[in-house]
Amino acid sequence: MTQLSDGAATLTIRIDDRVLTAVPDYVLGVLAIPAVEVAPAPPAVSALLTAAEDALHAAGLDKAGVAGLPGIAAWRDAYRAVGVNPNRFPCAAESIARRVAKGDRLPRINALVDLCNAVSLGAALPVASCAVDGFADLVVRPADGTETYLPLGAPDAPEQPEPGEVVYADADGRAHSRRWNWRQGHLVRTDLGRHRLLLTVESAHPGGRAEVTDALARLAAVLDELADGARQEDDARQEAVLDGTTTSVVLRTAGPSTGGGPLSPAGTHRGSRP
């Protein structure tokens, strides 16, 4: 999906109460971008990812050391609380951190994915970019087992999440993740081209809201820098933080298409939460 199509102008995001009952400290930060041209990573983003990898290499952490990072350790507890074995299914942040801690480099995908990986490594929190063109709703909830999930890179091999498994789901019965944030689905992948995007940052530890907010600010700052100051009052990015107090939000995901350049959101200032 590389061209914007007609679809919902807003996206409702919600956390199901059952998720918060199991993991009371869960925080979901979101940054909605009405339109952005996803391009290969420019030097500034590549440098950020390389610096984050270098910092983790320098820390000299083994597998246990990565698992012991506060943000990741809390996610391991959260997975156990919803019946998932984190040794078999590590959260997204642990998965990429393990790979880098072994001395590897992450594959370079594109500007948005690489930026999210850089921020994830620095914060030790799951950070993702999701293409949401045409989506009207997403809810983080336990699966009932009837949802359809299309694996990333293998959309012709659909799966059904297990009943009770936490997923990002829509009202059409589609799951867009497996085991919370262990794997992202094919339909929300961020590939090259113009997309409406939702960037997510998640924490599961007490006090995590501040770290989520900080990670969102880092994402927004890089987007502002790469957008080279282009701004439109009628087509702004919007940001929100959901938790046990605020469990839902409606964000605008559609706006005038201005044909901006690579990694240039059609609206580049941070809008207030509705």
Side-chain angles (χ1 to χ4, degrees):
M1 181 170 60
T2 60
Q3 297 295 321
L4 292 181
S5 61
D6 291 338
T10 61
L11 176 65
T12 299
I13 305 164
R14 182 171 63 87
I15 306 173
D16 189 283
D17 289 342
R18 292 169 291 176
V19 172
L20 291 164
T21 296
V23 184
D25 293 312
Y26 178 54
V27 177
L28 169 62
V30 293
L31 184 63
I33 305 174
V36 67
E37 185 73 22
V38 180
V45 171
S46 296
L48 284 175
L49 181 52
T50 297
E53 292 168 332
D54 289 346
L56 196 52
H57 292 160
L61 300 177
D62 57 12
K63 183 177 178 180
V66 169
L69 293 171
I72 290 174
W75 271 109
R76 292 177 66 84
D77 290 340
Y79 271 35
R80 293 187 188 98
V82 296
V84 175
N85 181 349
N87 294 317
R88 184 179 179 190
F89 305 107
C91 78
E94 182 173 359
S95 181
I96 65 170
R98 278 187 190 178
R99 182 169 182 170
V100 173
K102 292 189 299 183
D104 293 343
R105 299 282 181 185
L106 296 176
R108 269 47 179 175
I109 308 298
N110 58 53
L112 265 297
V113 175
D114 293 0
L115 171 59
C116 288
N117 283 341
V119 174
S120 179
L121 288 174
L125 295 175
V127 180
S129 175
C130 306
V132 293
D133 180 40
F135 280 57
D137 66 286
L138 280 175
V139 57
V140 183
R141 63 167 175 83
D144 59 27
T146 66
E147 298 85 358
T148 299
Y149 168 82
L150 303 183
L152 183 63
D156 295 329
E159 302 172 0
Q160 285 187 313
E162 298 174 5
E165 177 184 332
V166 177
V167 297
Y168 278 73
D170 63 30
D172 294 324
R174 301 177 299 184
H176 301 288
S177 70
R178 289 295 311 269
R179 297 178 179 87
W180 211 325
N181 52 45
W182 170 65
R183 287 287 187 269
Q184 187 182 65
H186 189 79
L187 293 178
V188 294
R189 72 196 185 283
T190 299
D191 54 11
L192 298 177
R194 196 164 182 81
H195 299 285
R196 297 166 186 154
L197 297 176
L198 183 73
L199 308 188
T200 64
V201 183
E202 299 174 284
S203 71
H205 59 284
R209 185 184 180 96
E211 293 173 43
V212 167
T213 300
D214 181 65
L216 288 173
R218 279 180 274 165
L219 291 168
V222 174
L223 291 174
D224 281 339
E225 179 182 348
L226 295 174
D228 197 25
R231 295 170 186 265
Q232 278 189 212
E233 292 301 321
D234 60 351
D235 192 15
R237 287 200 310 260
Q238 293 186 304
E239 178 181 314
V241 179
L242 306 182
D243 56 16
T245 301
T246 302
T247 60
S248 67
V249 69
V250 179
L251 298 175
R252 183 172 53 182
T253 57
S257 178
T258 61
L263 227 171
S264 180
T268 61
H269 74 280
R270 293 165 63 189
S272 59
R273 192 176 74 192

